[in-house]
Amino acid sequence: IAPSTGSAPKAGRTPPPTADRFDRSASIAWSWPTKGELVARFSANGANKGIDMGGAVGQTIRAAASGKVVYQGSGLRGYGRLIIIKHSADFLSAYAHCEAIYVKEGDVIKAGQKVADMGSTGTDRVKLHFEIRRRGTPVDPLEYLPKL
């Protein structure tokens, strides 16, 4: 009998799930960040890496899920005043064109908490540009948000 060159898994231990078999978004309870008309949809190959929702200056923007604020500022061109919230090792959400921001980097946020007011910073109309990113790649928020 030839000696084994690999090690066999120990009995009673299951290997950790792979990324293909396990999507951590199942543990995130997403909610709509604001109310308003959907004025632009996600475009995987186009310029829009999220959805745009129309509204009024000062309209409340809420965290779409619990997490931690990892960015707050206006340093990313085309996003105006922006908030980025990290929800898990895999998921972030972004809220762009804010008029006023009520959170700072490092803040732990609860789902539904007011984080900003809608505005038109860095764009031509009052709107919220909302993105969900999975492992850094933009995904269609409509696939994660509750159906209206």
Side-chain angles (χ1 to χ4, degrees):
I1 298 177
S4 173
T5 57
S7 60
K10 299 203 187 255
R13 294 177 92 183
T14 57
T18 64
D20 297 323
R21 293 181 9 216
F22 184 71
D23 184 350
R24 291 189 180 114
S25 72
S27 65
I28 298 174
W30 296 100
S31 61
W32 286 86
T34 195
K35 293 179 180 168
E37 177 189 0
L38 190 63
V39 296
R41 291 181 174 267
F42 174 81
S43 173
N45 298 322
N48 202 6
K49 300 302 179 194
I51 58 173
D52 294 346
M53 299 178 70
V57 171
Q59 183 174 319
T60 296
I61 297 171
R62 299 185 184 281
S66 297
K68 184 176 183 178
V69 177
V70 294
Y71 179 82
Q72 182 272 115
S74 54
L76 290 173
R77 187 173 169 201
Y79 286 88
R81 288 190 188 121
L82 172 69
I83 300 167
I84 299 174
I85 299 174
K86 183 174 183 172
H87 304 286
S88 70
D90 293 332
F91 285 91
L92 301 169
S93 61
Y95 310 77
H97 311 303
C98 302
E99 179 69 21
I101 294 177
Y102 300 105
V103 295
K104 63 186 182 311
E105 289 177 25
D107 285 355
V108 175
I109 305 299
K110 291 187 163 119
Q113 180 177 332
K114 181 176 182 173
V115 294
D117 289 338
M118 192 180 294
S120 60
T121 61
T123 190
D124 58 352
R125 67 173 288 179
V126 176
K127 67 181 176 183
L128 167 64
H129 174 75
F130 175 71
E131 295 183 9
I132 294 176
R133 291 185 178 238
R134 182 174 184 252
R135 295 191 196 125
T137 302
V139 294
D140 186 351
L142 297 179
E143 293 181 11
Y144 293 84
L145 294 170
K147 303 294 178 226
L148 291 177

